[in-house]
Each structure stands twice: as C-alpha cells, then as structure tokens.
Amino acid sequence: MTQGLELFDVTIIGGGPAGLYAAFYSGMRDMKTKLIEAREELGGRTLIYPEKIVWDVGGMGPTRGAQLTKLMIQQAQTFDPTIVLGQQITGLERLVDGTTRITSATGEQHWSRTLILAVGHGALKLAKLSLYGAENYEKGNLHYTVTELESFRGKRVLISGGGDSAVDWANELVGIASSVTLVHRRDRFSGLERNVRRMMASGVQVLTPYSITDLYGDGTLLDAVSIAQLNEDGEWTDETEPDRIAVDAVLINHGLSGDLGPVLHWGLARTDWNFNADEKLATNLPGVFVAGDIANYGSKLYLIAGAFTDAALAVNSAKMYIEPDAPTRVQVSSHNGNFDEKNRAFELVEERS
C-alpha cells in the first residue's frame, strides 16, 4: 500500500512544546520523523504569551515565552525532521500493511508507521468579551494577550479574569502601568496561590465579585468601562449600581477554548477534553501515542516540563512498537554517538569565541 511513497517512522501532530521535543528526541532514536502543525508557525500555546516569564523548565532561569519558543524550535530541528505547516489533520486510516495514512483538511496525505498526537487542547481560541461593540476596540486598547509590556507604561490598566494569566499580567504590570485594577466574577481565584498572594500585596486594586457591564469610547479607543458587583448567583441585576472607571487599556483573560475537530471521531478513548493513555503513553489505537496536555493518565503533570517527559516516553514507545527488540530508552546526549559531529562543530564555535 505504501510502495513508492515516503514512509516515516513517526509522524507528530502538533508543534507545541510536546511536539517539538518529540521531534528532537525521535532524532536521538534514529527515527525518520515528520512533524505536522495546523498553524503557519511552530510554538503552540507559548505563541499566545510571548511576554510571559516561564520559571519552571528544568535547567533554565526565568525566560520570556518568545525566547523559550525560539529555543524549542531550534532544538526540534537538530536532526532535520520534515516539518509541515498549515495543515490540519482530519483523517486517520490504518492500512492492511500495518502503516497509517493521515489525511489533511485540504487533501494532502502522509504515511507513517506510528503517530504521536501532541495537539494540546486543539485549535485554541481566546474567550472574547461578550459585550456589544467589544470587537470594535480590539485593534485599539482592548487586549486579549500581552505582546509588549512596555506598551502599557504609564497607563491605567483594567484586567478582567481570575486565572493564571490574569494574575500573572497583574503582577507583571505593577511598576509599569500607572495603576492596575483587576476584576473577577468570583471571590476565589484559580491562579497559583503564590502569585495570588503576591498580587494582593502588590498594590493591584482587586475587586470581586465584579464584572464589566459597559464599554465607553469613540468606537476605536476605550476611555472608560462600567463594572458591577455580582449577586450570589454570579449575575448583576437592574438593582446593581455600576461603577464607571477611567481606563487607558483593558486586558481580558477569560480563558481559552479548544477545538479538537475531527480527531474526536477517530475512536480514541477519552475524557471530556483529552485522550486516555497508559504509562507508556499508548492509546487504545495501535501505533497511536499521545504527549502533552492531550494525554490523560494517572500521574499526569500539566507543566511544560511534563510535556517534555511525555514526548520522550511516547517516542520510546513508538520506537519499540516498530522495533520490539530496540532498547527501551536512548543513551543520554553526552554519550550518544548521534551527537559526535554536532559536538565537534559546537566545540569549534567555542574555540573561535
């Protein structure tokens, strides 16, 4: 069935942290590798937060999201995998010879011995502010993420949200913005407790349970918003008297929604939003493995560091699926012959510098 066609040992669907590390690690295992990403750029979820500071990647100090993305992409390209951008995978078919045919939404076909799904939560969309006319201000000063902290210097910033992103940006903007006000529709925050405590002590004006009710501006730039306190049912009523707050910028952090699309119909055992796997990251479909946020198993760690571990385990399992007698894991890079030539090139650069 695959005669005359290019057959890969492993095809990785998704170009976020898990997919990128899988592309690197599969090179360490001498596997012919292809990575397919639905977007036109690699990076996955880290692309949404280029200014965020990441602390929890082993061996790295605090690093901006944009720099972490750059480093992960560079590492993924170490062994020259085939990288395909702009293709959403829709179809999966297991052929009679045991290989898999993968089809994109635009009709392209790919053949692979194994498949690693590293699609995160699927196609991510930021939850928008559901108020009349909000979209008119999105090219002005209504924001859903932060691409440059300095653009908020000296401004009166109002943040709406109570998760990690809202709390993180509130902390980041202290000392940059002239004032930071955060409104959240609940009294409790879902952000990390340490960061919430820091926010509460940092000078951020925190108002709960409050929600934005109205926007005021010229149709391009906001100059004020109204907020109202919510009742015990999480709603504001006609009896609620809104407060009007002057603003120079509004930042909405109401979370992300993911769309896994046709993957949901492949027959994978799953929860409401990710796929079940065993300790080897194998799914219920032969030759199909998962890594990153899409993976659900007992000891799952929802950190970038966990995504890297998932990726390595999934690659090891894919290798053994193809070659049952292969070693269960690869030698560490300091003793791995695949790096000999690369090490010599690296040492030459060091000598010249």
Side-chain angles (χ1 to χ4, degrees):
M1 298 288 286
T2 56
Q3 186 175 1
L5 301 169
E6 190 170 12
L7 178 65
F8 286 81
D9 292 324
V10 59
T11 297
I12 302 155
I13 310 299
L20 291 170
Y21 195 76
F24 165 73
Y25 193 80
S26 62
M28 290 181 66
R29 299 232 58 174
D30 286 324
M31 300 176 77
K32 185 177 182 180
T33 304
K34 177 181 282 186
L35 185 152
I36 305 174
E37 165 58 41
R39 300 176 65 165
E40 294 292 345
E41 56 184 334
L42 298 169
R45 194 167 183 168
T46 59
L47 292 170
I48 300 175
Y49 306 115
E51 284 283 341
K52 249 190 175 181
I53 301 175
V54 179
W55 289 78
D56 52 13
V57 176
M60 290 180 60
T63 307
R64 295 284 181 190
Q67 177 64 9
L68 177 60
T69 301
K70 179 181 177 181
L71 293 172
M72 290 190 299
I73 293 172
Q74 289 176 348
Q75 185 183 50
Q77 295 172 328
T78 301
F79 296 101
D80 299 316
T82 297
I83 295 177
V84 178
L85 300 177
Q87 286 192 28
Q88 182 189 19
I89 298 304
T90 56
L92 177 71
E93 181 184 1
R94 188 170 173 81
L95 305 179
V96 294
D97 62 359
T99 61
T100 297
R101 178 166 57 202
I102 307 155
T103 307
S104 77
T106 49
E108 292 88 353
Q109 294 186 337
H110 310 270
W111 283 262
S112 191
R113 300 181 191 277
T114 62
L115 182 68
I116 296 176
L117 292 176
V119 295
H121 299 293
L124 292 175
K125 295 182 180 179
L126 292 162
K128 298 294 187 77
L129 182 63
S130 57
L131 289 177
Y132 178 78
E135 67 278 2
N136 296 331
Y137 296 100
E138 291 179 9
K139 293 184 179 179
N141 56 353
L142 176 65
H143 309 277
Y144 291 96
T145 189
V146 175
T147 57
E148 186 179 352
L149 284 168
E150 278 299 312
S151 66
F152 294 90
R153 183 164 293 282
K155 294 182 178 179
R156 298 164 296 181
V157 180
L158 182 134
I159 301 173
S160 177
D164 285 320
S165 293
V167 173
D168 288 350
W169 291 132
N171 287 327
E172 289 283 335
L173 287 167
V174 171
I176 294 176
S178 63
S179 66
V180 180
T181 301
L182 184 142
V183 298
H184 181 39
R185 60 186 304 109
R186 298 180 182 84
D187 289 321
R188 294 175 64 92
F189 292 86
S190 58
L192 290 174
E193 294 177 355
R194 180 186 182 93
N195 294 335
V196 173
R197 287 196 300 270
R198 176 185 166 197
M199 177 182 69
M200 293 297 190
S202 68
V204 174
Q205 182 183 22
V206 178
L207 301 174
T208 63
Y210 274 83
S211 178
I212 299 174
T213 60
D214 292 289
L215 306 174
Y216 305 98
D218 62 5
T220 302
L221 292 174
L222 292 167
D223 54 51
V225 302
S226 285
I227 63 170
Q229 191 168 19
L230 305 179
N231 61 26
E232 60 184 14
D233 296 321
E235 300 174 347
W236 43 274
T237 65
D238 293 339
E239 291 75 31
T240 304
E241 186 67 30
D243 296 321
R244 184 162 171 157
I245 299 176
V247 297
D248 299 308
V250 174
L251 178 57
I252 305 298
N253 290 136
H254 291 173
L256 295 162
S257 61
D259 181 9
L260 291 170
V263 177
L264 291 174
H265 306 296
W266 289 0
L268 289 154
R270 63 184 181 92
T271 67
D272 288 340
W273 59 273
N274 58 7
F275 297 126
N276 296 331
D278 62 18
E279 71 279 1
K280 295 181 180 180
L281 279 299
T283 69
N284 60 303
L285 298 185
V288 179
F289 306 89
V290 286
D293 285 347
I294 196 64
N296 175 57
Y297 57 96
S299 57
K300 173 66 186 169
L301 177 64
Y302 289 97
L303 292 174
I304 292 177
F308 296 158
T309 300
D310 286 356
L313 291 172
V315 169
N316 283 337
S317 295
K319 178 73 172 183
M320 295 184 69
Y321 181 85
I322 299 170
E323 301 177 36
D325 295 330
T328 57
R329 56 184 179 272
V330 72
Q331 282 187 309
V332 295
S333 60
S334 56
H335 296 84
N336 191 313
N338 288 333
F339 290 94
D340 289 347
E341 185 176 341
K342 298 179 187 299
N343 287 340
R344 285 191 291 271
F346 180 76
E347 289 165 354
L348 284 173
V349 172
E350 278 190 324
E351 291 172 5
R352 289 170 185 164
S353 60

